[in-house]
Amino acid sequence: MTAVVNSWIKAYLESGTVPALPDGHFIDGKVVPSLSGERMEIADPGMGRVFMSVAAAGADDVDAAVASALRGFRIWRDTAPMERGRVLARMAALMLRDMEQLAFAETVTVGKTYTESCNNVRSAARTFEYYAGAPDKLQGDSIPLGPAQLGMTLLEPLGVVTQIIPWNYPITTFARGIAPALAAGCSVIAKPAETTPLTAVMLAQLLCEAGLPAGACNVLLGLGTVAGAGLSAHPDVAHITFTGSPKVGTAVMTAAAQHYASVTMELGGKSPLIALADCDVEAAADGAVAAIYENAGQICSAGSRLVVDKRIHRPLVEAIAQRVARISVGHGLRGASMGAINSRRQMERILAFLDQAKALGSKVAFGGARHLDAVDPEGWFIQPTLLDDLATDHPCVQEEIFGPVLSVQVVDGIEDALRAANSTRYGLMAGIYSKDIGAALALARDIKSGQVTINNYWGGGVEVPFGGVEQSGFGREKGFAAVASYCRTKSLVAKVPYSQNARV
């Protein structure tokens, strides 16, 4: 850790003061206040208190951001593809240079641990690095129409696109949507969640330092009902990429439909981690813990359900409980292994699920309550929780809790495991642990999910397309599939002078 960031952390934990973090929108290459002067408060989840305020957008700010993005689009679209790639590559390097500052801001707004935040910056930098190779490889096709016609397709950028970013992974979601959009030649307006706005502005500043033209990436802070809704409904926004709840996603889609904008929807999940009878129990226990307790379980694709064969149920649950007992909970800047819940409202929602589970007589194998921290007693912490042997219709099996709660379903054999895996309305991700790769692949084929991993729940990376089915949404992010979301195909057919006698 550098001396500068170490001093930031020390001063913040001792006095609650923060360094000069950006507190305005980022429009036309600079940080600006709201035109109305409106502001909103930002809280530190680990301390449970407000520590700063930032600009809050109104309708005029939405219009200003879109107007700037239209100007930026014309410049960025006409920038040579190889130069667009160089800008994205420089961005990756700048993110790694400023990793600790970004991680500090992420930790104090999201509530996750500083180590997790640093890992998120590395992952996001890798995303920009990956898409840096894309701009000069976005090529169309030739279409065989015979000697008298020349047929081809061209890939064109959509124009101004909006990214509505969730509060659980602000840095990585920013990169996941904005890097492929910029690679395609679009301009972008990011709308971060109202509780976690800082890093989006910091990243937009770095993009300008990397050489992105002013206006090609703007950031609009504010409430979803104002800034997010305004961008979704704006007639000059060609595409909206949204990550969040199905309820809000439906509102975004409805607004986008009024002006025929396309959308990418990532709407959450209730993902199963399936442990078949022949699996390596220790490896499955490691995978289950990593799948649910990272970022205090606040992950759309978290493995929040353990679907375990009855033959290994007891030893696997015991192995998980032993690992959970070693998880320390506390402020993300104090060295804990699990941080806070992002808001008081979300903490209370999780606690309501746990209270309901207890009222139903559910077995709480570990945790199940609020964690009262000795150093930060007002922090929004939940104990890592393990609920054992739940029925398929149990609310903690069917509903997305979005917290550090692992719900165990006991099954009898692979067919029963498949039924349990497919028993919710979601289909974002699934993991399988088994030594029989044939059985695992057959199960993966039949699971209702956009992505399935085998013997490594968080397998893959930016190279692998990601997205859901059913109420987990549609469209794909990551991989080259993401770039296609920000392009339209233009077909071009030309009549070519043709004389059979002239052909050699």
Side-chain angles (χ1 to χ4, degrees):
M1 187 182 298
T2 63
V4 170
V5 174
N6 190 48
S7 68
W8 285 9
I9 294 174
K10 185 174 185 294
Y12 180 70
L13 293 178
E14 290 177 354
S15 65
T17 59
V18 294
L21 298 173
D23 65 350
H25 313 295
F26 191 79
I27 299 176
D28 249 357
K30 54 186 178 295
V31 177
V32 297
S34 293
L35 293 171
S36 66
E38 290 293 317
R39 298 182 71 80
M40 61 185 185
E41 295 180 330
I42 306 299
D44 175 350
M47 294 185 180
R49 64 168 180 80
V50 171
F51 70 94
M52 69 178 295
S53 68
V54 299
D60 290 343
D61 299 297
V62 173
D63 289 338
V66 174
S68 170
L70 285 168
R71 295 190 296 270
F73 170 63
R74 288 188 283 271
I75 299 170
W76 184 241
R77 173 196 60 193
D78 295 337
T79 300
M82 64 179 180
E83 182 55 31
R84 294 206 301 263
R86 288 168 180 160
V87 170
L88 298 184
R90 287 194 292 268
M91 175 61 175
L94 291 171
M95 290 180 68
L96 294 177
R97 183 198 69 185
D98 289 358
M99 178 178 69
E100 293 180 342
Q101 293 93 320
L102 289 164
F104 173 86
E106 191 87 336
T107 296
V108 297
T109 55
V110 179
K112 63 180 62 178
T113 70
Y114 181 75
T115 298
E116 288 174 328
S117 295
C118 286
N119 289 337
N120 291 169
V121 177
R122 293 187 188 98
S123 175
R126 167 60 188 145
T127 299
F128 275 96
E129 180 184 62
Y130 175 79
Y131 288 110
D136 59 358
K137 300 168 186 66
L138 297 176
Q139 54 197 40
D141 296 316
S142 62
I143 303 170
L145 297 175
Q149 294 187 94
L150 178 65
M152 66 182 73
T153 60
L154 306 175
L155 293 181
E156 299 180 335
L158 292 179
V160 176
V161 302
T162 289
Q163 304 286 330
I164 300 179
I165 297 170
W167 47 258
N168 58 333
Y169 281 88
I171 288 176
T172 54
T173 311
F174 180 103
R176 188 176 77 185
I178 286 175
L182 292 177
C186 296
S187 64
V188 185
I189 304 171
K191 193 281 170 191
E194 45 261 43
T195 59
T196 57
L198 302 184
T199 49
V201 179
M202 296 168 74
L203 291 169
Q205 290 175 309
L206 289 183
L207 277 167
C208 281
E209 184 179 345
L212 191 72
C217 180
N218 295 327
V219 178
L220 202 61
L221 312 184
L223 300 177
T225 53
V226 179
L231 289 169
S232 300
H234 202 288
D236 289 324
V237 171
H239 181 92
I240 301 106
T241 295
F242 172 82
T243 303
S245 70
K247 179 180 179 181
V248 179
T250 299
V252 170
M253 284 188 279
T254 301
Q258 305 309 305
H259 59 105
Y260 304 99
S262 55
V263 295
T264 299
M265 291 280 135
E266 202 256 272
L267 303 177
K270 193 68 182 177
S271 301
L273 186 149
I274 303 165
L276 299 180
D278 71 325
C279 77
D280 181 327
V281 170
E282 295 299 313
D286 289 337
V289 170
I292 185 59
Y293 299 115
E294 179 184 329
N295 195 24
Q298 299 165 112
I299 312 174
C300 297
S301 53
S304 55
R305 292 188 291 140
L306 174 65
V307 177
V308 55
D309 192 282
K310 66 179 184 178
R311 286 171 281 276
I312 60 167
H313 167 227
R314 184 49 46 208
L316 180 53
V317 169
E318 289 175 354
I320 292 171
Q322 290 170 3
R323 287 160 171 78
V324 175
R326 296 194 290 268
I327 295 174
S328 60
V329 181
H331 196 286
L333 296 177
R334 298 191 193 277
S337 54
M338 193 177 87
I341 304 304
N342 181 250
S343 67
R344 177 178 291 278
R345 178 182 178 184
Q346 179 62 15
M347 178 187 70
E348 291 173 349
R349 181 177 181 275
I350 297 167
L351 291 173
F353 273 107
L354 298 179
D355 289 343
Q356 182 183 30
K358 294 171 189 175
L360 292 171
S362 308
K363 181 180 179 182
V364 181
F366 196 93
R370 182 175 180 178
H371 170 76
L372 297 177
D373 192 68
V375 181
D376 296 298
E378 300 301 317
W380 301 322
F381 302 107
I382 298 283
Q383 295 171 349
T385 297
L386 181 59
L387 302 178
D388 196 14
D389 199 7
L390 303 183
T392 298
D393 62 353
H394 194 287
C396 291
V397 168
Q398 291 297 321
E399 301 299 326
E400 186 178 33
I401 299 173
F402 222 66
V405 181
L406 179 60
S407 301
V408 179
Q409 295 173 264
V410 183
V411 296
D412 185 7
I414 194 167
E415 293 299 325
D416 200 17
L418 178 61
R419 283 191 291 271
N422 288 343
S423 65
T424 76
R425 62 186 183 276
Y426 296 105
L428 184 56
M429 188 166 169
I432 301 169
Y433 278 77
S434 174
K435 294 176 183 175
D436 185 341
I437 191 65
L441 287 170
L443 184 58
R445 177 196 60 208
D446 296 330
I447 289 175
K448 177 185 67 179
S449 179
Q451 183 171 342
V452 183
T453 59
I454 297 174
N455 293 326
N456 179 9
Y457 188 82
W458 294 122
V462 65
E463 304 87 352
V464 181
F466 173 80
V469 300
E470 296 195 355
Q471 288 197 26
S472 287
F474 54 87
R476 291 296 177 263
E477 300 187 80
K478 306 200 313 188
F480 259 65
V483 183
S485 299
Y486 302 104
C487 297
R488 63 169 62 93
T489 299
K490 175 182 284 185
S491 297
L492 177 61
V493 178
K495 183 178 180 180
V496 180
Y498 170 67
S499 170
Q500 188 171 9
N501 295 331
R503 289 173 63 86
V504 177

